[in-house]
Amino acid sequence: MKFPIVSCLLAWTSLSPSSAFTPSFQRKTITSSSSLFSSTPSTAFDDGERPFQITTPIYYVNDKPHIGHAYTSTACDVIARFMRLSGRDVFFLTGTDEHGQKVEQSAAKKGMECQDFVNEVSQSFRDLLGVMNISNDYFVRTTDEAHKESVKQLWKVLTKKGYIYKGTYSGWYSVRDECFYNESELVDGKAPTGAEVEWVAKEESYFFKLSAMEEPLLKMYEEYPEMIAPKSRLNEVKSFVSGGLRDLSVSRTSFKWGVPVPDDEDHIMYVWIDALANYMSALGYGSDNSEDYEKFWPAALHVVGKDILRFHAVYWPAFLLAADLPLPKRVYAHGWWTKDGEKISKSLGNVIDPVELVDKYGVDATRFFLMSEVPFGNDGDFSDLNFVYRCNANLANELGNLAHRVCTLVYKNCDQSIPTPGEFLPEDVEMLENAKSVRDIAAGHIANQAISQYATTMINLVKDANKYIDVQAPWALKKTDPERMSTVLYVLMETLRHVGILYQPLIPDSANKILDQLTVPADERTFAHLESWPLVSGTKMDAPQIVLHRFEVPGEEAEKQQQKQKQQKQKQKQQPKKQQNNVPLEKDVGRLDIRVGVITKAWEHEEADKLFCEEIDIGEESGPRQIASGLRDHYKLEDLEGQRVLVLTNLKSRKLVGFPSHGMVLCASNGDTTEFVEPPADAKIGERIVVDGYDGEPATENQIGKKKILDAVFPDLKTNDDGVATYKGIPFMTSAGECKAKSGLANAEVA
């Protein structure tokens, strides 16, 4: 038997990067015939150029949408957006499966007509698409009349070719799964999915000759192994088919909510024939309006959950083979989500509502976490803590902070305009070439549905840009070499333009807000514009705004409240003591007000060779504090900006060689080496450090000096064997964990 499957093996060629990057301010004309910008890498299942149909499974309307629906839809959306930006003609299909016995029963329980019931639930799935910013081209419903006609046409073709016959059925049927199971498949009297099954005794039924498709299917898997992915799923399917196929009952007479069998309306078609046919019915299969079918079928990619793999990798290709219709190029089955290590279920009360998730964190953060947390195809575990840590680290701290820093530096120092670069140094060329190379790397990942690897590629590009800005330190170049500052900032702006354009499939709203701040016109944001349409020097900018905000770590607010309550209790305990003038003030670490801070600006003291001057944000409404630190023998200036530190805040302001310094940055030192004591990356700015057992009210600035508290406390401040800062061996703690010397410097003094 010939297999009508598209399997193109065209080689992917990419343009090699130029040996040196030269900015072009004359925008180049882009032609649609350019192979670089009208294709994606060719694979064994996709030539990289032809019109591309991508589909979610159509979602069953017996209940409201959950995280799995959002996950599948977002994955398809990321791929569809990437393909469109690459120049591919895309048809992105999703919709709802609205027939079957389960729907009939659910409607009856609610006292509703079936059509009214499915209208209501189907709308909730359509609404979810808007919530998740899904860019589907069509939403199909199996209650659409055009769909029903396509299904009937497929039935007639299968009947004409001799693959459907009438008989009687006896066996196990799961209403929840809308699936027939063999006795050997049952586990403890239930379906493999855990669903209840019922015995159907000698019901008249039409059958599809699935047994006749066993050898053709096995041959297809052998010749086209890339059709089913990941590879582990192919092995599952081959094992199932090799175990023997029985003819499949494809009609029922025990309910009426479905598509009637042509010329025998007492029978309702098996819901999976009805549902699977949506992939062609939405394109106009079997109708007079079949241009989309001719253009897009066979589908490039069906994305499904692993629980419905059998229907898409066995039944669906069997129906198509029997009807002599082209097969889809690939079926990709992804994994399931758990919640904090447990299976998600209503009975456990841990169902994740994607609408609530977006309300809490925003759509782009939700999309980013779902697509980056686990390799696509694997199972994943959801936790709010992991969500916040990942988005804070990769979006807020890395991408958001980079974009805001760069745009602010340009806005303040370059006449509120895109800077004009001078001659590029090797490190500039390396950064720009790195940015240029990412498109091809990302395209390779998307072509193989490696969505998390695509996300990682983007994360790494942003990290490289952060390293570049830290090393080049454009804020320090304003006085010493303003032309070099402009060049560095231009390189960063161009890198961010690539980041913004390439990040659009994952975080479309945030990426486009960044591109807005970079002055990139809305019609210059496709991949075709990456090399050919650079930023134009002199273009005026609007004042930068923060695009990606940091989330509060779960439990952080509760921790604050606990600390506040402890402090209030301590106050109450101390009040009687305040009336007794002869009661001495306890001199322990609880009297020190040590806060998490971040250095936002740093420069060399003009008159003191050993001092840096810093502005440090410790979360105060009055703004950053100015502090001087004797660290010039131990750190380079470019290492300081963005450095997270611990700041002793309840010290009187004093002048250090004329510079007013209000506070002290804590460091660990063993005589040879001095380095910062750092809070964890996810500790909140302004959070107070706690030491277990020493939770007293901070002393006033006057008390710190008059009572000589530092003299009493500092001798007991040391790092332990792991480099963790301690007081009398008890660690310095934040809500995110311990504070430790930057390199793990052990047994060092802390001051």
Side-chain angles (χ1 to χ4, degrees):
M1 176 179 286
K2 267 193 167 182
F3 300 107
I5 186 171
V6 175
S7 179
C8 298
L9 300 169
L10 301 180
W12 165 248
T13 57
S14 60
L15 301 183
S16 59
S18 58
S19 57
F21 183 96
T22 304
S24 171
F25 303 106
Q26 180 66 40
R27 299 187 183 279
K28 299 176 184 177
T29 302
I30 298 168
T31 60
S32 59
S33 61
S34 169
S35 63
L36 181 61
F37 300 124
S38 61
S39 63
T40 51
S42 64
T43 64
F45 49 88
D46 177 31
D47 67 2
E49 296 184 357
R50 77 180 297 275
F52 186 91
Q53 185 193 18
I54 183 170
T55 71
T56 72
I58 52 173
Y59 303 123
Y60 205 55
V61 295
N62 64 309
D63 207 345
K64 68 177 185 177
H66 55 65
I67 193 67
H69 302 120
Y71 182 59
T72 311
S73 296
T74 303
C76 290
D77 186 63
V78 169
I79 295 170
R81 287 176 183 269
F82 197 99
M83 293 296 182
R84 291 192 198 103
L85 289 167
S86 299
R88 297 285 291 273
D89 199 350
V90 173
F91 190 94
F92 173 15
L93 175 64
T94 189
T96 44
D97 177 6
E98 303 177 17
H99 288 138
Q101 187 176 0
K102 186 163 50 176
V103 170
E104 191 175 74
Q105 291 175 351
S106 297
K109 283 181 183 177
K110 288 202 168 188
M112 299 175 69
E113 293 293 327
C114 285
Q115 189 64 56
D116 293 336
F117 174 78
V118 298
N119 286 347
E120 181 180 294
V121 183
S122 178
Q123 186 59 47
S124 69
F125 283 89
R126 195 186 290 264
D127 292 342
L128 178 65
L129 299 175
V131 169
M132 295 300 299
N133 198 3
I134 304 299
S135 63
N136 58 297
D137 296 290
Y138 192 73
F139 188 93
V140 65
R141 299 180 61 186
T142 56
T143 51
D144 293 338
E145 289 303 318
H147 170 77
K148 293 177 186 177
E149 291 305 312
S150 289
V151 176
K152 290 176 182 177
Q153 175 63 22
L154 178 60
W155 182 282
K156 290 175 183 177
V157 171
L158 292 172
T159 302
K160 184 177 180 181
K161 290 183 176 291
Y163 281 94
I164 289 182
Y165 65 92
K166 199 172 191 179
T168 58
Y169 174 76
S170 297
W172 295 104
Y173 181 74
S174 165
V175 175
R176 193 188 80 178
D177 297 345
E178 300 282 4
C179 182
F180 302 97
Y181 291 105
N182 298 329
E183 182 86 36
S184 61
E185 295 181 88
L186 301 186
V187 179
D188 297 327
K190 293 184 178 181
T193 61
E196 299 290 339
V197 293
E198 61 184 33
W199 180 257
V200 178
K202 290 192 177 181
E203 178 181 308
E204 186 178 68
S205 175
Y206 284 93
F207 288 83
F208 172 73
K209 291 182 181 178
L210 186 62
S211 59
M213 306 310 298
E214 183 175 327
E215 289 305 317
L217 285 170
L218 290 173
K219 185 178 179 184
M220 179 190 71
Y221 303 144
E222 191 66 31
E223 294 186 3
Y224 302 104
E226 295 287 342
M227 181 183 174
I228 298 169
K231 189 176 181 180
S232 59
R233 307 297 181 209
L234 173 63
N235 296 334
E236 292 174 22
V237 171
K238 288 169 68 175
S239 177
F240 174 75
V241 175
S242 298
L245 297 177
R246 297 172 56 190
D247 288 354
L248 182 67
S249 174
V250 289
S251 76
R252 300 294 305 275
T253 58
S254 57
F255 62 93
K256 295 298 180 185
W257 184 244
V259 180
V261 169
D263 303 320
D264 193 348
E265 296 198 353
D266 290 336
H267 286 257
I268 298 299
M269 285 188 207
Y270 177 46
V271 71
W272 279 102
I273 285 187
D274 174 10
L276 292 164
N278 90 89
Y279 301 128
M280 298 191 305
S281 73
L283 299 172
Y285 166 74
S287 73
D288 294 333
N289 184 21
S290 60
E291 287 139 4
D292 282 338
Y293 177 78
E294 298 297 329
K295 180 178 182 180
F296 288 101
W297 191 259
L301 181 62
H302 293 323
V303 177
V304 301
K306 65 181 182 180
D307 54 324
I308 55 173
L309 177 61
R310 178 193 303 183
F311 306 102
H312 287 81
V314 180
Y315 299 164
W316 181 225
F319 297 154
L320 294 171
L321 286 170
D324 284 332
L325 292 171
L327 297 169
K329 298 183 196 177
R330 172 167 269 205
V331 176
Y332 196 101
H334 63 70
W336 292 338
W337 283 89
T338 54
K339 175 75 162 63
D340 297 319
E342 292 185 310
K343 183 179 178 181
I344 295 175
S345 72
K346 287 183 180 179
S347 60
L348 291 175
N350 63 351
V351 174
I352 305 169
D353 185 334
V355 177
E356 292 178 2
L357 205 59
V358 171
D359 286 343
K360 184 176 182 180
Y361 295 116
V363 62
D364 278 352
T366 302
R367 289 170 61 104
F368 178 80
F369 176 80
L370 292 178
M371 295 296 99
S372 63
E373 178 67 3
V374 294
F376 193 59
N378 292 4
D379 291 338
D381 186 60
F382 180 93
S383 81
D384 283 286
L385 196 61
N386 288 345
F387 187 112
V388 168
Y389 282 165
R390 178 170 286 276
C391 291
N392 279 354
N394 298 144
L395 293 185
N397 296 351
E398 293 170 0
L399 175 58
N401 187 43
L402 174 69
H404 188 62
R405 276 204 297 171
V406 171
C407 290
T408 299
L409 285 166
V410 171
Y411 189 80
K412 288 182 176 179
N413 300 311
C414 302
D415 194 28
Q416 302 177 10
S417 305
I418 303 298
T420 300
E423 181 182 355
F424 287 130
L425 300 181
E427 52 265 42
D428 307 328
V429 175
E430 181 182 6
M431 185 70 255
L432 290 165
E433 292 291 357
N434 187 9
K436 285 166 60 179
S437 72
V438 165
R439 188 262 174 184
D440 286 351
I441 297 169
H445 293 320
I446 288 294
N448 290 285
Q449 297 82 58
I451 301 175
S452 66
Q453 292 182 48
Y454 157 51
T456 299
T457 298
M458 297 309 305
I459 290 167
N460 288 339
L461 176 58
V462 172
K463 286 182 176 178
D464 289 342
N466 274 305
K467 290 177 185 175
Y468 174 84
I469 191 174
D470 288 342
V471 171
Q472 299 303 321
W475 51 86
L477 293 169
K478 182 179 180 181
K479 292 182 180 179
T480 60
D481 193 345
E483 182 180 348
R484 176 66 188 152
M485 176 196 71
S486 294
T487 302
V488 168
L489 290 175
Y490 183 85
V491 169
L492 286 162
M493 295 283 276
E494 257 300 292
T495 299
L496 275 171
R497 186 178 71 90
H498 280 70
V499 168
I501 289 174
L502 286 161
Y503 243 133
Q504 287 176 99
L506 274 171
I507 48 172
D509 284 349
S510 300
N512 278 284
K513 286 178 182 177
I514 291 172
L515 293 171
D516 288 343
Q517 294 196 20
L518 297 173
T519 74
V520 179
D523 59 352
E524 295 179 14
R525 299 181 182 184
T526 71
F527 296 162
H529 297 95
L530 285 171
E531 282 193 56
S532 304
W533 293 54
L535 294 169
V536 177
S537 297
T539 305
K540 285 291 183 181
M541 299 172 60
D542 292 328
Q545 303 293 323
I546 295 175
V547 173
L548 293 158
H549 295 269
R550 190 178 180 278
F551 299 118
E552 186 173 88
V553 177
E556 200 168 56
E557 187 59 37
E559 180 74 20
K560 275 194 205 168
Q561 291 301 322
Q562 287 177 0
Q563 284 187 338
K564 192 174 181 181
Q565 289 170 4
K566 283 182 180 179
Q567 290 169 1
Q568 288 173 343
K569 286 179 182 178
Q570 192 68 26
K571 261 187 178 179
Q572 292 169 0
K573 288 179 184 177
Q574 289 174 344
Q575 283 191 6
K577 295 179 182 179
K578 288 182 180 178
Q579 297 172 4
Q580 303 173 28
N581 294 330
N582 61 338
V583 177
L585 184 70
E586 294 176 0
K587 299 177 183 179
D588 59 45
V589 74
R591 301 304 173 197
L592 305 187
D593 191 4
I594 303 172
R595 302 276 172 172
V596 174
V598 60
I599 300 174
T600 57
K601 184 179 179 181
W603 62 99
E604 295 174 346
H605 196 296
E606 293 181 357
E607 298 178 21
D609 293 341
K610 294 185 180 296
L611 291 181
F612 284 128
C613 300
E614 304 122 10
E615 287 186 359
I616 304 179
D617 179 8
I618 56 171
E620 293 177 317
E621 291 184 5
S622 57
R625 288 205 186 191
Q626 287 194 333
I627 296 176
S629 305
L631 296 172
R632 282 172 68 173
D633 290 341
H634 307 285
Y635 283 93
K636 295 178 181 178
L637 181 62
E638 57 264 26
D639 295 331
L640 297 187
E641 187 170 337
Q643 172 69 46
R644 295 169 72 84
V645 293
L646 299 187
V647 179
L648 176 56
T649 65
N650 53 341
L651 299 178
K652 275 189 171 183
S653 180
R654 62 192 181 114
K655 288 189 176 182
L656 296 179
V657 196
F659 180 80
S661 178
H662 191 191
M664 176 190 293
V665 177
L666 294 186
C667 293
S669 178
N670 63 5
D672 297 323
T673 303
T674 298
E675 58 189 37
F676 291 116
V677 175
E678 295 188 349
D682 291 300
K684 187 174 179 62
I685 300 301
E687 176 180 356
R688 187 185 176 199
I689 303 305
V690 295
V691 177
D692 191 28
Y694 299 91
D695 52 1
E697 182 77 10
T700 66
E701 292 180 357
N702 281 333
Q703 287 173 331
I704 288 287
K706 287 182 179 180
K707 302 294 183 180
K708 298 184 178 180
I709 293 174
L710 297 187
D711 292 341
V713 173
F714 272 13
D716 292 314
L717 298 184
K718 301 179 186 298
T719 61
N720 62 19
D721 291 343
D722 297 320
V724 176
T726 70
Y727 174 69
K728 295 184 177 181
I730 303 172
F732 281 27
M733 296 295 296
T734 71
S735 60
E738 300 170 334
C739 305
K740 63 187 299 184
K742 188 174 180 68
S743 70
L745 188 65
N747 305 312
E749 306 290 335
V750 174

